[in-house]
Amino acid sequence: MLHLDPFALRELLGPDAAPARRAITGEQGVALPPLVNHHVHLHLFDPAPLAEHGIAGVVDLGGDPVALARRHADGIPRVAYAGAFLTAPGGYPVGRSWAPDAICREVRSTSTLAGAPGGARTAVDEQAGFGASVIKVSLNATAGPVFDDDVLAAVVAAARERGLPVVAHVEGEGMAARAIAAGADVLSHAPFSERLDDELVAAAVVQGQRWISTMCIHGPGDREVAADNVARFAAAGGRVLYGTDIGNGDQPIGVNADELALLDAAGLRGAALLATLTDPWPRDERIDGVLTFVPGPAPIEAAHVPAWLAGATVVPEEELIRE
């Protein structure tokens, strides 16, 4: 049975959900805040259909900083970005078929001198100069060399000076622990290559770290590890962000019901699930001028929310009349 009762709706999805109708057509449905996919790669897919399928904002976590800076800043989807991957010489994703040279910066030293070739500060300054909202570092020990502790610390320190959060791709034994110890603000993928012990999960929570989900991109084994880590992180109070790594494999361009179902199964249900999508990170405020609209009545049960959200679309705020 479906409903549009405002009290039951808010109990299921939180205070931001409200019955609404479209001013022009009269179509009824549910109004929600703008939805964000917190991990995409815009050079690998056409983002034009995203708004039609419910996504108002994206965070590009590895692309050509020049091309990203040239994008229209006020368009929908609204784009925040990291610019290039910062990686060790020869480190991931250097040499990958999907990773042109323009999206990688090999950091060779701890230099804090502006403009020093291969220096940590130079790499951070370049991304910041092209408008990056975050700095992306690669710690993938399964695919090549990674930063030593000193270079990693220098990159994090340079990002801190710029007021930019650090997002870490962690893969391989001990890489999540290194990212947490170095003070990374966000993990670009929920850890999937190893089960983190409860003490390390607790340390990430205390640090205020966020994890971007991206569980659907993995095969069954890695997916189970990621889901277990996410469940314990969320249960301990950790903040999880919805992200699917669009551009990686064959994925829907829009809200991914399978990713949401995995988050639901990990304990992020109803309002908590919606919060993974509506967190404006790395922005301080939600995207203005638009809302999410899901036509038709809302589900009563939390288990049906993932599939229901897959029917979302983005509409101008003035087009919706809340009821």
Side-chain angles (χ1 to χ4, degrees):
M1 188 175 183
L2 302 173
H3 68 86
L4 275 175
D5 175 80
F7 299 104
L9 183 61
R10 287 165 185 157
E11 184 176 353
L12 177 65
L13 294 172
D16 290 327
R21 59 185 171 86
R22 299 183 82 153
I24 298 173
T25 66
E27 183 179 31
Q28 293 186 313
V30 178
L32 301 169
L35 306 185
V36 179
N37 188 325
H38 298 89
H39 189 151
V40 306
H41 295 281
L42 291 170
H43 70 287
L44 296 175
F45 73 102
D46 177 8
L50 281 170
E52 179 184 352
H53 297 288
I55 299 298
V58 297
V59 187
D60 187 294
L61 290 182
D64 177 358
V66 177
L68 288 164
R70 287 174 174 162
R71 293 186 61 86
H72 193 287
D74 295 326
I76 297 293
R78 196 73 52 82
V79 178
Y81 53 90
F85 287 81
L86 306 191
T87 189
Y92 179 84
V94 172
R96 296 297 191 276
S97 60
W98 57 268
D101 291 345
I103 79 166
C104 301
R105 296 294 183 273
E106 296 173 85
V107 181
R108 293 177 165 79
S109 79
T110 62
S111 177
T112 59
L113 297 176
R121 179 177 172 185
T122 299
V124 170
D125 284 352
E126 180 197 16
Q127 310 322 307
F130 281 111
S133 298
V134 302
I135 297 297
K136 174 81 174 282
V137 299
S138 177
L139 294 174
N140 185 345
T142 69
V146 296
F147 294 134
D148 64 29
D149 288 344
D150 290 341
V151 172
L152 179 58
V155 170
V156 172
R160 292 282 181 270
E161 289 180 8
R162 286 282 195 167
L164 298 176
V166 174
V167 179
H169 172 118
V170 298
E171 187 172 350
E173 185 175 355
M175 293 300 103
R178 288 193 62 207
I180 293 166
D185 301 280
V186 176
L187 300 187
S188 64
H189 305 276
F192 60 91
S193 57
E194 60 176 339
R195 184 184 188 275
L196 306 191
D197 63 41
D198 290 342
E199 291 77 11
L200 189 57
V201 170
V205 173
V206 169
Q207 186 172 300
Q209 199 171 67
R210 290 174 168 92
W211 291 1
I212 303 172
S213 58
T214 71
M215 291 183 280
C216 263
I217 62 172
H218 306 303
D222 288 346
R223 186 179 297 179
E224 290 174 4
V225 172
D228 173 69
N229 285 329
V230 166
R232 290 181 296 115
F233 180 69
R239 300 180 68 176
V240 181
L241 302 175
Y242 167 87
T244 62
D245 201 3
I246 298 181
N248 184 347
D250 184 16
Q251 296 196 55
I253 304 301
V255 176
N256 187 327
D258 292 336
E259 187 73 33
L260 292 177
L262 289 169
L263 285 164
D264 176 89
L268 290 142
R269 313 205 80 194
L273 180 66
L274 183 62
T276 71
L277 281 153
T278 58
D279 189 318
W281 182 91
R283 302 174 182 88
D284 294 325
E285 304 292 337
R286 288 172 173 164
I287 298 165
D288 59 2
V290 297
L291 291 171
T292 300
F293 180 71
V294 188
I300 290 175
E301 298 180 6
H304 298 151
V305 170
W308 173 75
L309 282 169
T313 191
V314 178
V315 300
E317 186 170 7
E318 64 268 19
E319 186 180 325
L320 287 184
I321 300 171
R322 302 193 197 197
E323 300 177 339

